[in-house]
Amino acid sequence: MAKIANDKTQSYFITFEGGEGSGKSTQIQMLADKLKKNNVPHITTREPGGTPESENIRELLMSGGKDRWDGVTELLLMSAARREHCRKIIWPALENSQWVLCDRFVDSTMAYQGYAHGTGRAAVEQIQNVVLHQFRPDLTIILDMPIDVGLKRAKARGKTTRFDNLDEQFHQSVRDAFLDIARREPNRCTVIDASGSMEAVHDAIWQVVTSRFAVT
Ligand code: TMP
């Protein structure tokens, strides 16, 4: 893919996706540090969340028993949180020439609610079209690793959520879903093996980012 010139007023929306414990937040921080060194204005944010209202919705989604919400209700709550996040944080930042690095976005809804929870691709696509119109990430980095490694890492972090407590079959479906999404949209999505060292994964991400967008 041709490199897009960065005249420092052009901004990009980069999303990070992957299963539990795949190292997204570490990698977002490492990429943010690198962008800072290169004087690229940027923000980091996450979903569900990113605004006080969306963080409230996050709390509803993350707490309680695993059957507290079904897939459709989760799809609606995630999408409501996303709408607020886009309107108040993501779209203004991009307009303001800041790159946005986001921990999860639409592909998480497709993988978790659409595939693993079984609401189906069409339902997710319909709601996302209402929430986002044509807006989609410029680049999506999918951090891929075997689910047992990721779940072990997530448990070691201590705090577990409703999602960590779902069974292995669910998490395997999420992993397969991300790989399927990447196969369907190879121009937007890049799969990176996340089982290597933090530095190796960061180097791979930096290579992808700099091959797509000029940062210096
Ligand atoms: P995380 O902050 O540890 O990534 O946790 C967020 C959880 O929310 C994670 O288990 C994935 C889940 N999630 C969805 O199910 N659908 C979504 O659309 C998003 C953004 C997250």
Side-chain angles (χ1 to χ4, degrees), residues 16 21-34 141 143-145 149 153 157 192-207:
F16 287 72
S22 56
K24 291 177 283 83
S25 31
T26 305
Q27 291 303 328
I28 287 173
Q29 197 47 56
M30 290 173 89
L31 178 58
D33 291 345
K34 199 66 144 295
I141 292 167
L143 296 180
D144 179 60
M145 59 163 49
V149 182
R153 279 202 203 169
R157 283 197 306 242
I192 288 183
D193 176 2
S195 50
S197 69
M198 269 170 15
E199 290 73 22
V201 176
H202 170 67
D203 288 347
I205 291 173
W206 185 242
Q207 219 271 322

Side-chain angles (χ1 to χ4, degrees), residues 20 24 47-48 58 62 78 82 104 108-109 112-113 163:
E20 316 303 320
K24 291 177 283 83
E47 289 210 345
R58 179 188 178 93
M62 296 301 143
M78 295 288 179
R82 176 161 307 131
R104 300 194 181 280
S108 279
T109 313
Y112 284 78
Q113 283 69 49
F163 290 88

Side-chain angles (χ1 to χ4, degrees), residues 15 31 54 62 71-72 75 80 88 91 98 105 114 120 127 134 137 178 197 211:
T15 57
L31 178 58
S54 305
M62 296 301 143
V72 174
L75 164 59
K88 293 181 180 152
W91 292 336
Q98 291 172 297
F105 199 64
I127 304 277
Q134 302 306 311
F178 280 129
S197 69
S211 71

Side-chain angles (χ1 to χ4, degrees), residues 41-200:
H42 63 277
I43 63 163
T44 62
T45 188
R46 70 167 181 182
E47 289 210 345
T51 74
E53 297 80 6
S54 305
E55 290 290 335
N56 286 341
I57 300 175
R58 179 188 178 93
E59 184 53 32
L60 287 175
L61 279 158
M62 296 301 143
S63 58
K66 67 179 171 54
D67 297 324
R68 184 180 191 189
W69 315 110
D70 73 356
V72 174
T73 309
E74 280 182 12
L75 164 59
L76 296 171
L77 287 170
M78 295 288 179
S79 304
R82 176 161 307 131
R83 176 74 190 176
E84 288 307 292
H85 190 206
C86 284
R87 273 188 343 109
K88 293 181 180 152
I89 304 289
I90 297 176
W91 292 336
L94 292 169
E95 291 250 310
N96 195 28
S97 304
Q98 291 172 297
W99 293 31
V100 177
L101 310 185
C102 191
D103 190 338
R104 300 194 181 280
F105 199 64
V106 282
D107 300 303
S108 279
T109 313
M110 187 57 92
Y112 284 78
Q113 283 69 49
Y115 285 65
H117 254 317
T119 65
R121 288 187 57 90
V124 176
E125 273 164 6
Q126 266 178 346
I127 304 277
Q128 299 320 299
N129 287 342
V130 173
V131 169
L132 303 173
H133 304 283
Q134 302 306 311
F135 179 73
R136 293 294 182 274
D138 295 302
L139 170 65
T140 295
I141 292 167
I142 295 173
L143 296 180
D144 179 60
M145 59 163 49
I147 57 159
D148 50 331
V149 182
L151 287 173
K152 218 181 275 167
R153 279 202 203 169
K155 293 228 163 78
R157 283 197 306 242
K159 206 170 155 235
T160 55
T161 69
R162 279 183 61 240
F163 290 88
D164 300 307
N165 293 328
L166 289 157
D167 63 27
E168 287 201 3
Q169 180 54 49
F170 183 92
H171 292 289
Q172 188 60 52
S173 307
V174 167
R175 183 185 187 196
D176 296 343
F178 280 129
L179 296 176
D180 190 51
I181 291 166
R183 267 191 298 271
R184 286 168 182 264
E185 289 188 72
N187 287 336
R188 176 173 67 83
C189 301
T190 298
V191 178
I192 288 183
D193 176 2
S195 50
S197 69
M198 269 170 15
E199 290 73 22

